[in-house]
Amino acid sequence: MFIVLRILAAMLLAAASSVSFGASWPDRPITLIVPFTPATGIDLIARQLSASLPKRLGQSVVVENIPGASGNIGTEKVARAKPDGYTFLVTVSTLVMNRSLYKLPYDPVQAFEPVGQTSWGTLVLVTGPKNPVHDVAGLVAAAKAQPGKLTYGSPGVGTPHHLAMALLDGLTGIKMLHVPYKGTAGAVQDMLGGRLDYMFLPIHVALPQIKAGKLKAVAVGSPKRAAQLPDIPTLGEAGLKGANVDMWYGVLAPKGTPKPIIASLNKAVNEVLAAPSTAVAFESQGMVPAPSTPEQFGELIAKDDKRWAEVIKKAGITAN
């Protein structure tokens, strides 16, 4: 009986500490870690939050960029950080893609507490303006007529651009030749020069070239048609059920961060996402605000973890 009472007392103390901790949070600056270089879409999200959260939380919010190893270095730092509500990760869907590509010293699902999704980033499938193919059906027919001959580019092995095409290949039974680059710029230049047949690009990167007639949009990877390209069908409309290849962005905390803190930050982040200025800033990077609950974001992460693992395994993709 004495042991039971001690256990109950410990549980009550822990619960009281958690409530107190959450109620007093934050009492010092908060750090948002971005596991990629500055001037990326993820960095823009973090800086939008760092500019808008202080007036809602009463403390300054600092952005720290820790790039390297496809985002794994900065991500690991957050996974190992003290779960005290002062270190958070702003990341993208490569978080779960990397599990099947690298031997990670952390679990991308179990090592974090979801705070909330921030946005979606749309990918658009493009080709050259002289290519007679103008839809997914035409692409599939051309690829089946020339197995392994048609090419597609990406910023690197295992990037969302690469895996989006791997998913397309798997769903249609075609096989195209992947040409990986070290970044987006070189791949785009070869697309414009006609040295690549196809590529998935973020919509804000592709749109100026599409409007200039230098690239042609074939399909968008979002569940719904993109506002910027209302006449371009989705992959789903082209008959590829479930082929949503959009990238999600969101905020995560180290595992064990108190629930009251998660709830408080989620509320503040969703308020930032609801502001018109956020929509304008995100649009410049081809993103759309997507507020969520921590639970909804957690479900999305778990679903994508399984989905991309299957795509990577089926395509035989490795990071080496």
Side-chain angles (χ1 to χ4, degrees):
M1 185 67 173
F2 178 69
I3 294 175
V4 172
L5 289 174
R6 287 186 63 182
I7 293 173
L8 288 173
M11 292 174 63
L12 289 171
L13 180 60
S17 297
S18 177
V19 172
S20 176
F21 193 8
S24 63
W25 177 89
D27 58 11
R28 55 189 170 88
I30 295 166
T31 298
L32 301 178
I33 290 182
V34 175
F36 296 95
T37 57
T40 59
I42 305 173
D43 187 62
L44 179 143
I45 293 169
R47 296 190 186 279
Q48 186 73 16
L49 293 175
S50 71
S52 304
L53 285 175
K55 61 184 177 183
R56 292 172 172 83
L57 299 177
Q59 287 291 335
S60 61
V61 178
V62 179
V63 176
E64 182 180 356
N65 295 88
I66 307 179
S70 298
N72 293 328
I73 295 175
T75 302
E76 182 181 357
K77 181 171 181 178
V78 179
R80 297 184 182 281
K82 186 177 180 180
D84 57 5
Y86 292 96
T87 304
F88 295 92
L89 178 70
V90 182
T91 192
V92 65
S93 47
T94 52
L95 173 83
V96 292
M97 296 173 177
N98 285 350
R99 179 206 286 275
S100 299
L101 296 167
Y102 303 92
K103 290 183 178 179
L104 301 176
Y106 59 88
D107 186 311
V109 176
Q110 298 301 322
F112 301 99
E113 302 280 359
V115 174
Q117 186 179 356
T118 59
S119 49
W120 287 106
T122 296
L123 290 174
V124 56
L125 177 61
V126 297
T127 189
K130 295 181 181 179
N131 190 335
V133 169
H134 62 273
D135 56 24
V136 173
L139 183 159
V140 172
K144 287 187 175 179
Q146 309 170 70
K149 298 293 184 181
L150 298 183
T151 60
Y152 69 93
S154 81
V157 174
T159 56
H161 319 60
H162 176 201
L163 298 187
M165 193 65 81
L167 176 63
L168 177 62
D169 280 5
L171 290 173
T172 58
I174 62 175
K175 184 65 177 178
M176 292 191 286
L177 179 63
H178 177 221
V179 183
Y181 290 75
K182 292 183 178 179
T184 305
V188 171
Q189 286 303 311
D190 278 1
M191 274 297 307
L192 295 174
R195 290 178 287 277
L196 289 172
D197 295 308
Y198 298 95
M199 186 173 180
F200 272 101
L201 283 172
I203 196 167
H204 72 285
V205 175
L207 197 59
Q209 308 299 341
I210 294 171
K211 289 183 175 179
K214 296 179 179 180
L215 289 177
K216 179 170 61 177
V218 177
V220 293
S222 49
K224 298 179 180 179
R225 293 196 181 196
Q228 301 95 323
L229 295 169
D231 297 328
I232 305 302
T234 67
L235 292 174
E237 289 176 321
L240 305 182
K241 185 178 180 181
N244 172 21
V245 299
D246 276 8
M247 299 176 288
W248 53 253
Y249 299 83
V251 181
L252 295 160
K255 190 71 173 181
T257 301
K259 296 297 183 184
I261 291 178
I262 297 291
S264 294
L265 184 57
N266 174 266
K267 180 176 182 293
V269 168
N270 285 344
E271 288 174 357
V272 174
L273 297 177
S277 58
T278 299
V280 172
F282 281 17
E283 185 178 359
S284 69
Q285 292 290 317
M287 296 182 294
V288 178
S292 76
T293 65
E295 292 75 20
Q296 289 169 335
F297 188 35
E299 290 171 3
L300 173 61
I301 292 171
K303 180 181 177 181
D304 256 18
D305 181 43
K306 180 179 179 180
R307 179 168 72 115
W308 290 117
E310 292 173 351
V311 171
I312 291 167
K313 182 179 180 180
K314 183 177 181 179
I317 299 170
T318 62
N320 298 321

